[in-house]
Amino acid sequence: MKELMCPETTLPIEKLHFEIRSEHLDRKVKVDAWRPRSLSPESYPSLLLINDGQDMEKVGLTDMLAGMEKSGHLRPLVCVGIHAGEDRRLEYGTAGIPDYMDRGNKADLYTYFIFEELLPFLRKKLGIAEFGEKAFAGFSLGGLSALDIVWAHPHEFTRVGVFSGSLWWRNIDQDDPEYDDDKHRIIHQQVRKGNYAPWLKFFFMTGTLDETNDRNNNGIIDSIEDTMGLMDELVAKGYSRENDMVYLELADGRHDVATWAKAMPAFLKWAFGK
């Protein structure tokens, strides 16, 4: 395990770099962590895990957090960006339920990594015995992964952020004559079969230019329709659109890091604002 300090000493945010050897994933996992320099372990800070941590510099997370820290808009917060590996399409997904092309067949191992290796490592290295609350966020397939992990482990988390989530994830090809949105979108089925946890809150973001696919030709692109459908499943489970969910749709927003960076401040203020 390697640890390096970032030289950004003038910022109110300290950035740390870690490298963890994961037995579950059989690879080294790079991890970046951001924490306020004024942070004390006794403050029981919140923890935000973010998939695709390798994109956080493009998001501008360091300056974003520094600005929000200076303005006093955030509660004590530690952010952790988990870098994806070469097997991203296998490690992200729905644990135990690969899609129709067998993608996501290591998602269960990624979940084990989070709970059995990453969280104990962070508590030890950061000197924080317990976090006040934990949230998970991700983009695209990383958003699906974050949602799946939070939904399957509600007693570990309070919030989830899904940016242009790959909520189309399905167990048969959409071109199969038997394909049915109500039956074959995996995460929708997982929510339908799951249990209501009243403390969970959900943030969904899409862009009107996320994609051009419209599989049922109803004039709504699939990424927006899949997100709306997932929110409908949450409502049917007992969650309130007004109190438990936020939906942010960016006009001309694309399926890229630049768009997700625009949405990140809104998510951070919603999840961890004072």
Side-chain angles (χ1 to χ4, degrees), residues 211-228:
E211 61 179 332
T212 58
N213 293 339
D214 178 8
R215 61 179 173 267
N216 57 10
N217 299 309
N218 67 349
I220 303 173
I221 60 174
D222 291 347
S223 61
I224 292 178
E225 186 162 12
D226 291 331
T227 300
M228 294 296 187

Side-chain angles (χ1 to χ4, degrees), residues 223-242:
S223 61
I224 292 178
E225 186 162 12
D226 291 331
T227 300
M228 294 296 187
L230 197 282
M231 294 174 69
D232 289 341
E233 294 289 351
L234 290 170
V235 169
K237 187 59 60 175
Y239 294 97
S240 164
R241 291 184 190 275
E242 292 75 22

Side-chain angles (χ1 to χ4, degrees), residues 25 49-52 82 84 87-95 104 106-115 135-153 157 159-169 187:
L25 299 177
L49 301 177
I50 312 174
N51 282 328
D52 286 312
I82 309 159
D87 286 343
R88 179 179 182 273
R89 291 188 178 184
L90 303 182
E91 293 176 0
Y92 290 175
T94 46
K106 293 184 179 180
D108 54 346
L109 299 178
Y110 186 69
T111 301
Y112 295 146
F113 161 72
I114 294 295
F115 290 109
F136 212 143
F139 314 134
S140 190
L141 187 52
L144 173 68
S145 168
L147 178 59
D148 180 66
I149 291 173
V150 169
W151 183 254
H153 304 85
F157 298 96
R159 298 175 187 271
V160 60
V162 183
F163 297 69
S164 300
S166 299
L167 306 183
W168 56 265
W169 204 245
I187 193 62

Side-chain angles (χ1 to χ4, degrees), residues 118-249:
L118 179 62
L119 288 177
F121 175 86
L122 291 174
R123 291 187 180 102
K124 180 179 179 180
K125 285 294 183 180
L126 299 177
I128 300 172
E130 198 60 54
F131 295 99
E133 63 175 322
K134 296 192 290 292
F136 212 143
F139 314 134
S140 190
L141 187 52
L144 173 68
S145 168
L147 178 59
D148 180 66
I149 291 173
V150 169
W151 183 254
H153 304 85
H155 288 84
E156 291 284 344
F157 298 96
T158 58
R159 298 175 187 271
V160 60
V162 183
F163 297 69
S164 300
S166 299
L167 306 183
W168 56 265
W169 204 245
R170 46 190 174 260
N171 51 24
I172 69 171
D173 193 327
Q174 69 174 25
D175 294 327
D176 189 308
E178 300 296 320
Y179 176 77
D180 185 330
D181 276 351
D182 289 335
K183 297 178 180 178
H184 299 124
R185 289 180 298 185
I186 298 173
I187 193 62
H188 295 70
Q189 289 297 313
Q190 293 299 91
V191 169
R192 191 176 299 176
K193 297 173 183 176
N195 297 317
Y196 173 67
W199 55 87
L200 284 185
K201 307 294 181 184
F202 306 84
F203 179 99
F204 296 100
M205 171 265 152
T206 64
T208 59
L209 300 180
D210 246 326
E211 61 179 332
T212 58
N213 293 339
D214 178 8
R215 61 179 173 267
N216 57 10
N217 299 309
N218 67 349
I220 303 173
I221 60 174
D222 291 347
S223 61
I224 292 178
E225 186 162 12
D226 291 331
T227 300
M228 294 296 187
L230 197 282
M231 294 174 69
D232 289 341
E233 294 289 351
L234 290 170
V235 169
K237 187 59 60 175
Y239 294 97
S240 164
R241 291 184 190 275
E242 292 75 22
N243 300 320
D244 301 323
M245 288 179 261
V246 168
Y247 175 65
L248 174 62
E249 185 175 298

Side-chain angles (χ1 to χ4, degrees), residues 9 14 20 56 116 164 173 182 221 229 250 253 267:
T9 55
E14 177 184 28
I20 307 170
M56 290 306 103
E116 298 181 7
S164 300
D173 193 327
D182 289 335
I221 60 174
L250 295 184
F267 167 72

